[in-house]
Amino acid sequence: MNILIIGGGGREHALAWKIAQSPQLEKLFIAPGNAGTAKLGTNIPVKVDDFEGIKKLVLQEKINLVVVGPEAPLVAGIVDYFLTDPDLKYVPVIGPSKSGAKLEGSKDFAKMFMHKYKIPTATFSTFIDYSVDDGKAHLATLEPPYVLKADGLAAGKGVLIIDDLEEAQRQLEEMLHGKFGEASRKVVVEEFLRGIELSVFIITDGDGYVILPSAKDYKRIGEGDTGPNTGGMGAVSPVPFADEAFLKKVEDRVVKPTITGLKREGIRYRGFLYLGLMNRDGDPYVVEYNVRMGDPEGEVVLPRIKTDFVELLKAIAEGRLSDVKVEFDPRFVTTVILASGGYPGSYEKGKEITGLENAGVGMGAGKSVETGSAAKDTVDWVVFHSGTRAEGDKILTNGGRVLAVSGYGETMKEALKRSYELAEKIEFEGKYYRRDIGFDL
Ligand code: AMP
Ligand code: GLY
């Protein structure tokens, strides 16, 4: 099969690495990809929202399957674009339709959906421009902290958690007046949930589903979960407190009613679904849905899938996921993000990365996986590229999050030791990483 991955971060490198291990793969393309994916397939400089460009590529390279990494093209309707194009409609795309992608693209839609299908989540109210006064009055009836969420996609910045009532009222007004552009013309105000966060991922063909390993990511830039939010500075899988009893509750109270809801609403959904959860005294509450794999969660969850990944993707596309048995690596996987100094504020790009060879990781994948085809059991670590690009035989930084250093271990401690040993060996000017991933587990 010829497969195209849309995206160019660590998650897409992890997807590429899994796909490249499959004997079913003929040619792999990644658009736009990074220096890591270039070692596993062919990078094509087409942007993730350039549907015409993607169409040309799919037809030219006789692509049989497309895997979409990030949310933006899904929310923009790439699946519907394929389904309604006479030349593309036989090429399956892993991801939800535009209506399904609203679970991530509209917080209001997601909340209404959860309410309708009795999926546990924080209580909420939604406000728009002309109800700003109602919104302020509503805030005054709540206990702090106040949670304000821009309805639409806001590059991970659209959620504000504020302790002071007047500040929350001011921010609500600013949001409704366009603080986050169109994304915050509608704002969801919700109850603050206390507890400990984790993520559970599923793949579904809209009917059958498979629950993938749980993960926890570390979103703040600073150690001890301090400072501004980032895309994620590290992750751990599995989450020790997500035991069988808790996961059973997730399946019964969240996964099953979500699948039922999608079916009842007539929403086509064939792809990944990310459940952002709060564990409140042992009960799961949905904080958010994302309609894709997480990043950096993908760099700890995907390495734990032992089943032929292309077979799994095909089962999703062909609607026969219920028949597939999926095997997971019981070991822990942890990842530590090496970021550019200054991130998530301004930072410089183009710094040469050294030490990938010293760490024995070649250009991105560990040991015998350098070619992407080794037996998974022999792998103790993998370095995934996030924001990198190749220039001649050099690898340069090309983003805020640069590399995701994933280690396996029988215990979380052992996995983290591997991640951190490698993180030390890789160098670039301004390298920053959190040294406390997993500290709260
Ligand atoms: P979201 O984009 O909805 O995931 O929100 C971003 C982050 O804000 C989440 O990962 C949580 O840490 C936090 N958050 C969102 N909603 C709530 C809530 N209702 N209660 C507590 N924390 C929340
Ligand atoms: N790491 C958070 C996300 O992928 O949304």
Side-chain angles (χ1 to χ4, degrees):
M1 283 184 94
N2 295 339
I3 299 181
L4 168 65
I5 298 172
I6 309 277
R11 165 184 50 214
E12 288 75 22
H13 188 188
L15 286 166
W17 178 68
K18 285 307 301 177
I19 288 170
Q21 291 168 1
S22 171
Q24 303 195 48
L25 179 73
E26 274 166 56
K27 286 192 203 158
L28 179 62
F29 297 87
I30 310 93
N34 58 37
T37 63
K39 292 288 150 189
L40 300 167
T42 308
N43 285 350
I44 307 281
V46 171
K47 294 206 172 84
V48 301
D49 56 359
D50 175 7
F51 293 179
E52 300 269 317
I54 291 170
K55 174 176 175 174
K56 252 174 70 186
L57 173 61
V58 165
L59 297 178
Q60 207 169 313
E61 301 296 346
K62 302 192 168 50
I63 300 291
N64 309 105
L65 181 77
V66 179
V67 185
V68 184
E71 64 278 14
L74 294 166
V75 172
I78 191 168
V79 169
D80 308 67
Y81 178 83
F82 270 67
L83 285 171
T84 53
D85 186 296
D87 297 328
L88 296 177
K89 66 180 176 191
Y90 300 108
V91 182
V93 181
I94 301 299
S97 62
K98 191 171 181 173
S99 56
K102 278 179 82 179
L103 285 179
E104 177 165 0
S106 167
K107 301 270 188 203
D108 182 47
F109 175 83
K111 297 298 289 192
M112 300 289 272
F113 179 89
M114 288 186 262
H115 181 69
K116 186 165 173 184
Y117 293 99
K118 301 194 167 46
I119 295 161
T121 186
T123 56
F124 75 106
S125 301
T126 302
F127 299 95
I128 52 175
D129 189 21
Y130 67 73
S131 57
V132 60
D133 291 334
D134 294 345
K136 288 180 177 177
H138 175 70
L139 281 169
T141 69
L142 302 178
E143 295 287 319
Y146 306 95
V147 182
L148 307 180
K149 297 187 173 183
D151 177 58
L153 292 184
K157 299 193 167 68
V159 175
L160 302 183
I161 298 181
I162 302 168
D163 286 315
D164 180 65
L165 175 61
E166 278 175 29
E167 174 63 10
Q169 290 173 323
R170 197 166 37 245
Q171 288 294 340
L172 174 66
E173 180 153 2
E174 278 186 27
M175 286 173 86
L176 290 172
H177 291 158
K179 181 182 174 111
F180 300 110
E182 279 309 304
S184 67
R185 294 282 174 195
K186 228 187 223 184
V187 173
V188 171
V189 174
E190 67 178 45
E191 164 201 16
F192 182 81
L193 293 172
R194 264 168 234 287
I196 174 156
E197 274 187 272
L198 76 156
S199 307
V200 171
F201 303 87
I202 66 169
I203 45 176
T204 179
D205 56 20
D207 189 31
Y209 60 84
V210 173
I211 299 181
L212 301 178
S214 61
K216 186 171 197 314
D217 87 334
Y218 292 81
K219 286 206 177 94
R220 304 290 197 93
I221 188 72
E223 284 163 23
D225 285 339
T226 54
N229 257 324
T230 70
M233 294 300 294
V236 172
S237 177
V239 182
F241 66 78
D243 55 16
E244 214 173 299
F246 181 80
L247 290 173
K248 175 89 173 73
K249 290 181 191 170
V250 174
E251 179 164 18
D252 291 342
R253 300 178 193 176
V254 181
V255 176
K256 285 181 179 165
T258 298
I259 302 290
T260 303
L262 290 170
K263 275 200 273 193
R264 293 238 178 102
E265 300 295 315
I267 292 172
R268 183 189 169 94
Y269 203 116
R270 294 189 170 183
F272 292 89
L273 180 64
Y274 167 140
L275 308 170
L277 303 171
M278 192 71 82
N279 174 351
R280 188 161 93 170
D281 303 325
D283 289 319
Y285 287 76
V286 177
V287 175
E288 64 169 340
Y289 285 116
N290 292 316
V291 297
R292 51 175 173 81
M293 215 336 125
D295 191 353
E297 295 92 327
E299 292 95 298
V300 293
V301 171
L302 296 169
R304 297 191 54 219
I305 298 178
K306 289 176 93 172
T307 307
D308 180 342
F309 195 59
V310 170
E311 190 51 39
L312 264 185
L313 295 173
K314 276 168 63 187
I316 298 172
E318 292 163 10
R320 49 178 181 78
L321 204 49
S322 310
D323 306 334
V324 177
K325 181 104 187 59
V326 185
E327 233 195 299
F328 301 110
D329 191 321
R331 290 179 296 169
F332 280 82
V333 179
T334 59
T335 201
V336 173
I337 297 287
L338 307 188
S340 298
Y343 173 77
S346 59
Y347 54 84
E348 289 176 23
K349 294 183 187 176
K351 308 292 182 194
E352 185 177 354
I353 304 171
T354 58
L356 284 170
E357 314 74 28
N358 296 346
V361 293
M363 298 296 195
K367 270 190 200 163
S368 45
V369 286
E370 200 164 7
T371 58
S373 60
K376 294 166 283 298
D377 291 345
T378 65
V379 177
D380 291 330
W381 34 260
V382 193
V383 177
F384 296 116
H385 291 225
S386 299
T388 66
R389 73 186 166 84
E391 196 175 273
D393 50 14
K394 287 184 180 164
I395 304 226
L396 306 180
T397 66
N398 195 37
R401 294 190 294 171
V402 177
L403 297 164
V405 185
S406 297
Y408 288 82
E410 297 301 330
T411 61
M412 190 172 83
K413 209 169 145 197
E414 189 186 36
L416 282 166
K417 188 163 169 275
R418 288 217 165 96
S419 290
Y420 281 118
E421 272 171 12
L422 271 173
E424 270 302 308
K425 288 185 186 159
I426 300 167
E427 289 298 343
F428 55 88
E429 195 188 312
K431 175 182 81 168
Y432 168 79
Y433 59 96
R434 272 181 66 166
R435 286 157 205 270
D436 68 341
I437 298 307
F439 77 97
D440 53 344
L441 295 176

